[in-house]
Each structure stands twice: as structure tokens, then as C-alpha cells.
Amino acid sequence: MAERARSAKVKLRPHLKTAKCAEVARLATAGQFGGITVSTLAELEYFFNAGFRDMTYAVGIVPAKLATIGRMMEKGARITVVLDALDTVAELAAKMATMPGRLPVLIEIDCGAHRAGVAPDSAQLLSLAQRIVAEPSLAMEGVLTHAGHSYHAADDDARRAIAVAERDAAVLAAQRIRAAGLECPTVSIGSTPTALTDIALDGVTEIRPGVYVFFDLSQAKLGVCAINDIAVSVLATVVGHHHAAGHLLIDAGALALSKDVSANEFDQHIGYGLACDIAGVPVPGLYVSDVHQEHGFVKSSDGVPPFERFPVGSRLRILPNHACMTVAPYDDYHVIESGTGITRWSKTHGW
């Protein structure tokens, strides 16, 4: 991803909502300008305490969250927020008037995902930009968009088309703001599937991918990575055999794996994750077919699961559908490093 950013002549501002881990953040920002993206106040404070100072809080801001942000700004953090509503501008400005410094603001653009944001060709875009510029306590930072719908791209051509639309929406919005005589220094786009296309990024200033630090089954089924590129798994123990039902029972269920089944959009034999042996090598046909809170049912799409190969007490590694969802609740990572054994990397969680 660092090479992609370099070749496209854009900044890399990795989204750390995936890993929530300072060690991963240091790897992802090595050789970069040092800025990161986060999604929670807990992440803001955690990464600030880990030494990161330039952070974009990429969830629509509300005034109630400014107390934490203002406190961190007083300590030297540069925090950029995101919004798409005129009413929010006035409320933010009023709150920030009692705090030191000016709050950088990005206008969120809807590039087709229809989750949030304003259309790049809308009158609302210019109204927002003009209102932000008029407020002494706010600073017009630019525009931001995220092609979340790229996770449903049927093939490489569809993924590339979404990447083009993502880029064009952000660039158009920036051009219109500048044409109105206003500054728009940042043009920020995101998403791992679109970042890892070969389209030109003329007019874009930064990219904010996140899941690429681990990859997952969804990315593999989209064609963004290979199965053996997936760097994170959940270590589970076989706790039972049910020969009549034809499954292994493991101690990793909905809470351990999440109930995200996104990769099943492309492959019905993914279930809640693919099963690997203890070395991390996928076992052909073996997948988690169903989950309860603390139990997972491992079946084989090729027939009967290998009961003899995996007796009760043996271990499996489960590759996740969506790494961000799976790793979120854990306290730390057990990191396997060749020749040095296993170390632990702490992480944050919560909001």
C-alpha cells in the first residue's frame, strides 16, 4: 500500500479502526507523513498516547464529542473532523468558540455508497463550505469520501469502476469549492479495494485504506488479495465431535469470530470463516458453517470433516470474513515472528 501511495503521488493515511494497535500503526506509517485515520474517541486517545498527533476522526462529528477532542487539541493533537449537515456546522462553531485553536473540518461526499455525505454536484456542498469558512473557530480542510460499496464489486472491472467514481466524486467536489473562491487543501478517498486498483489519482491528496494491514476472506473473494495473504486468524480448540450431524465443535463462536458473513456473497462455503491447521494452512473444504455465542460448527463442503485428523483438544486457526469485525473485541494480538517465537501486541477497543 505504501508503494501504491508513492506511485500515485498521494499521502497514505491508514485507517486504524481495523487493527486498533500502535505496533500495526507504526508499521503502516513507516516512511509516510505520519497521519492516521480513526473511528472512535477511544482510538483517538489510545493513538495519541502512543505518539500519533495528526488524526482524522472519520465518523460524522456531533458536538457532544468535542470535549474529548478539545482536551486532546490542548495537548498538541491535530484532529480533523467530518460532517455533512449545516446544523452541525453552527453547533460545532459555538462549542469550539470556547476552546483554543481552530478545528479542521472535512465535508463528507457521497460517492455512491449512500451511507452518508452530500452529492458532489449539490448546492448543499457549497453551502457547507461557505458556512465553515465563515466560522472563526473552524477551518475548511477539504473533502472526504469512502467507497464502501466496493465490498460488493462483482469483479475487477466493477471494482475499478467504483474506484473511478470515488476519485471523480471527491475531485469534482474539491473543484467546485475552489471555483467558488474557497480553499480545499485535502481531497481524501478511502477503501482497500479501490486503493489497490491501478487508476490514476490525479486531484487526490490522500488515501485512507484500513483492512489491507491484515486482509480477510472478503478481500480475497473480491480478488484484492490471495488467501495466503491473510495475516490474522482466530485460534480455536476442537471441543467435540458430532458424527451424526457431521461437524467438529470448536470453542470459537459468534463473539470470537463475529457474525459477519460478507464473503458468502461470493462463495457459499465460507460460512463464518475458513478453517486452517495450526500452521495456518487452509484445510480444503473445511469451514465454520454455523455459530452460537461461544460455539462454532465446522463442516466440510467435501463431505465428512476429518475427525481423526482433528481430535478433541487439537487446534484450528479460523480465517475471518471481515478482519475489522473479528479482531475488534480482543485485548491483544499474539504475533508469530519467525525465529523469535510469539510476542503480544496490545490494542484498544470500545468507544
Side-chain angles (χ1 to χ4, degrees):
M1 192 63 78
E3 173 57 26
R4 167 59 171 152
R6 187 201 63 76
S7 63
K9 298 181 174 60
V10 296
K11 292 180 178 179
L12 174 58
R13 183 186 288 274
H15 205 320
L16 273 302
K17 74 178 179 67
T18 296
K20 303 177 186 287
C21 173
E23 282 81 1
V24 175
R26 293 185 186 105
L27 289 172
T29 56
Q32 308 302 314
F33 77 107
I36 63 172
T37 311
V38 300
S39 284
T40 69
L41 296 181
E43 291 165 16
L44 276 175
E45 295 194 281
Y46 169 82
F47 284 112
F48 179 82
N49 291 333
F52 294 88
R53 295 294 179 263
D54 185 342
M55 296 179 280
T56 295
Y57 177 62
V59 172
I61 189 64
V62 293
K65 295 182 179 180
L66 282 181
T68 298
I69 290 173
R71 184 172 68 251
M72 295 175 64
M73 290 174 64
E74 289 178 348
K75 295 178 180 179
R78 184 183 191 276
I79 299 173
T80 302
V81 300
V82 175
L83 57 77
D84 63 3
L86 276 171
D87 290 346
T88 304
V89 177
E91 294 173 1
L92 280 186
K95 286 273 189 182
M96 284 303 301
T98 63
M99 299 180 187
R102 301 171 71 202
L103 181 67
V105 177
L106 291 164
I107 299 173
E108 186 162 8
I109 306 301
D110 184 357
C111 65
H114 305 317
R115 179 175 70 181
V118 300
D121 57 355
S122 66
Q124 187 180 2
L125 170 69
L126 295 183
S127 297
L128 279 167
Q130 290 162 349
R131 184 61 185 272
I132 292 167
V133 169
E135 297 290 352
S137 60
L138 305 179
M140 177 61 194
E141 181 67 23
V143 295
L144 169 149
T145 195
H146 171 66
H149 52 310
S150 63
Y151 281 63
H152 304 287
D155 51 39
D156 288 346
D157 288 341
R159 182 160 57 92
R160 198 172 189 278
I162 293 171
V164 169
E166 179 187 40
R167 176 201 64 195
D168 290 353
V171 171
L172 173 60
Q175 289 172 339
R176 293 185 65 226
I177 291 170
R178 292 167 186 152
L182 307 175
E183 292 187 356
C184 186
T186 298
V187 181
S188 180
I189 66 175
S191 136
T192 291
T194 55
L196 290 176
T197 62
D198 61 356
I199 69 166
L201 295 181
D202 297 343
V204 172
T205 65
E206 69 175 28
I207 54 175
R208 309 180 326 278
V211 76
Y212 75 96
V213 300
F214 292 149
F215 283 134
D216 54 27
L217 293 169
S218 291
Q219 298 299 311
K221 292 303 175 180
L222 283 169
V224 179
C225 69
I227 294 290
N228 62 7
D229 289 323
I230 300 172
V232 66
S233 62
V234 174
L235 185 62
T237 302
V238 176
V239 296
H241 290 171
H242 199 301
H243 292 269
H247 66 242
L248 303 169
L249 194 64
I250 59 173
D251 63 353
L255 296 182
L257 302 175
S258 96
K259 297 197 78 172
D260 189 301
V261 291
S262 48
N264 289 260
E265 183 176 343
F266 305 102
D267 185 341
Q268 64 178 334
H269 289 133
I270 295 291
Y272 296 88
L274 290 184
C276 304
D277 63 19
I278 189 66
V281 178
V283 181
L286 210 60
Y287 69 107
V288 182
S289 63
D290 197 6
V291 290
H292 293 176
Q293 179 171 327
E294 304 294 354
H295 293 85
F297 300 174
V298 177
K299 289 191 173 184
S300 175
S301 61
D302 298 332
V304 179
F307 291 112
E308 291 184 1
R309 181 177 175 184
F310 297 107
V312 172
S314 61
R315 300 286 187 90
L316 294 171
R317 294 188 180 279
I318 310 300
L319 301 180
N321 271 282
H322 185 181
C324 313
M325 296 287 283
T326 297
V327 307
Y330 289 94
D331 292 323
D332 52 24
Y333 300 100
H334 292 236
V335 184
I336 302 170
E337 300 184 75
S338 179
T340 61
I342 296 176
T343 58
R344 287 195 179 192
W345 290 355
S346 65
K347 59 184 290 293
T348 189
H349 47 66
W351 292 269

